[in-house]
Amino acid sequence: MTPDNGIVLYEYWRSSTSYRTRIALNLKNLPYRSVTVDLAEKAHHADAHKARDPLGRVPVLQINGLTLTQSFSILEYLEEVYPSPPLLPTEAPARARVRALSLIIVADIHPLGNPSTMTHVAALPGVEGLDKPAWQRHFITQGLRAFEAMLAHGPVGKFSHGDTPGFADCCLLPQLYNARRWRVPLDDYPRIRAIEKAASELDGFQKAHPDAVRK
């Protein structure tokens, strides 16, 4: 068996979807080989990458003879095929809660902050001089406020659901990285900041951080 177990991650260092996938692979103790798809150089639009993902997005994970796209689907696959250590709780209500927290990031914040979304909005008739930082801050703040509120209705622990990291934390930490890039104030989110501190002390999160993988 090769050192990376034949797992290949096509990714970009600053992509939050790539970042959350790196965290999950690390937490699952699954070594992988990283292949950069340089978004700044538009490499994701190349035919070679679109053969992997017709949308031309990252990440793409090649694993067990499969080519997987969509980061949250990748996390689900990893949980099903490599259940230990678990990133979802056992009970169905708790699993639903963790998925809902995750999807605040995955479905409600991230798509609206995607560069392709902002480029399209900026080009719409009647839109002049879209303030991209203000746009980002609005939707990130809206999502983090909801995330913080949901944390109050669940088990208290170091992470989003108890004392072990899971899906929601894999999604939250990259979003906080983006929040700081766009200068979103985080003072109003004490639970979120506590989770970030706990996660930042774990090797799996540290090794996935953009500063640790930038090439």
Side-chain angles (χ1 to χ4, degrees):
M1 182 172 290
T2 61
D4 59 19
N5 297 319
I7 302 173
V8 181
L9 179 66
Y10 294 87
E11 59 160 340
Y12 185 60
W13 67 277
R14 201 164 65 181
S15 155
S16 60
T17 53
S18 297
Y19 186 177
R20 69 176 70 129
T21 305
R22 292 194 299 267
I23 295 170
L25 286 165
N26 292 345
L27 293 178
K28 292 288 186 183
N29 299 309
L30 293 171
Y32 62 92
R33 178 167 62 91
S34 172
V35 176
T36 296
V37 179
D38 195 331
L39 303 187
E41 297 295 329
K42 310 300 182 185
H44 53 306
H45 295 317
D47 290 344
H49 188 66
K50 285 198 169 182
R52 302 179 196 108
D53 180 356
L55 276 174
R57 303 285 174 83
V58 291
V60 174
L61 187 69
Q62 291 184 340
I63 184 171
N64 299 332
L66 302 171
T67 298
L68 305 178
T69 62
Q70 299 293 337
S71 62
F72 198 68
S73 178
I74 291 171
L75 265 62
E76 293 276 13
Y77 175 86
L78 295 177
E79 182 70 4
E80 292 174 8
V81 177
Y82 304 98
S84 180
L87 299 181
L88 282 173
T90 303
E91 304 81 7
R95 293 166 77 89
R97 177 178 184 268
V98 170
R99 287 188 172 104
L101 283 165
S102 304
L103 288 168
I104 289 175
I105 309 295
V106 173
D108 294 325
I109 300 178
H110 177 262
L112 292 167
N114 194 294
S116 63
T117 300
M118 291 191 294
T119 298
H120 178 72
V121 171
L124 291 174
V127 177
E128 297 182 5
L130 177 66
D131 186 338
K132 292 183 179 181
W135 172 281
Q136 289 276 9
R137 286 193 290 267
H138 171 78
F139 289 109
I140 293 172
T141 298
Q142 184 181 67
L144 292 182
R145 187 181 296 129
F147 197 104
E148 181 82 9
M150 282 187 64
L151 289 174
H153 302 288
V156 176
K158 294 180 180 179
F159 295 96
S160 297
H161 192 87
D163 286 324
T164 56
F167 275 21
D169 311 297
C170 294
C171 298
L172 177 62
L173 268 289
Q175 189 57 64
L176 295 177
Y177 175 82
N178 281 345
R180 287 193 169 87
R181 283 183 59 210
W182 294 104
R183 299 182 181 179
V184 176
L186 300 176
D187 293 345
D188 291 339
Y189 315 119
R191 287 286 303 279
I192 284 175
R193 287 186 285 109
I195 291 166
E196 181 183 38
K197 183 178 184 300
S200 68
E201 295 171 356
L202 297 183
D203 189 62
F205 287 88
Q206 293 171 1
K207 289 183 176 179
H209 194 280
D211 292 344
V213 301
R214 185 176 184 178
K215 297 176 182 178

